[in-house]
Amino acid sequence: MAFDVGGGKGGLRPSMNVTPLVDVVLVLLIIFMVVTPLLTKQMWMTVPAKNDKQDQPPPPPDALPPVVLTVDKTGVLRINREEVARDQMVARLQRMLNARPDKIVFFDAGDDVPYGAAMDVLDLARGGNITIGVLPDKLAD
């Protein structure tokens, strides 16, 4: 620590030398820059193999088909391949789910559907208090 001796009211005035502090901070910065990429964690996940259609037993004859809500690139909404107007979609889904024991609607959007359009449809359904399940695979047409 150094002292200034000079004019002024107080006489001696301490001034701190910041050079060692800057050196330590720079060394720590370099250490963290080198170590940070090494700290990235890899997560390994084991996903069960996809079952073939032959291995699965057929559904029982009295099973209800699932309710599937689809949207295509032109924005046309379909419930189980039947076109539905956007403003009638929520009411229609709620009526369909009231008559079913399972209260879930599966959602499918084409590959060419804009993300925003798909999210708008999902937001409409979620706004109607409808449980949505997203289909991982393409539907067979």
Side-chain angles (χ1 to χ4, degrees), residues 37-117:
L38 301 175
L39 295 177
T40 58
K41 297 191 186 301
Q42 292 183 354
M43 188 181 314
W44 298 100
M45 189 179 335
T46 304
V47 179
K50 187 174 180 180
N51 293 337
D52 292 331
K53 295 288 184 185
Q54 296 115 5
D55 295 345
Q56 295 178 351
D62 60 343
L64 294 171
V67 177
V68 180
L69 172 65
T70 59
V71 61
D72 63 7
K73 69 178 178 180
T74 59
V76 175
L77 300 176
R78 289 185 176 89
I79 298 175
N80 291 344
R81 297 193 172 124
E82 183 181 334
E83 286 190 24
V84 177
R86 187 175 292 268
D87 56 347
Q88 297 172 358
M89 178 195 74
V90 174
R92 180 127 182 228
L93 284 173
Q94 287 173 340
R95 278 195 315 263
M96 290 175 78
L97 293 178
N98 284 338
R100 298 174 62 92
D102 59 337
K103 306 290 186 198
I104 191 165
V105 174
F106 294 99
F107 178 73
D108 185 39
D111 292 337
D112 49 0
V113 174
Y115 180 77

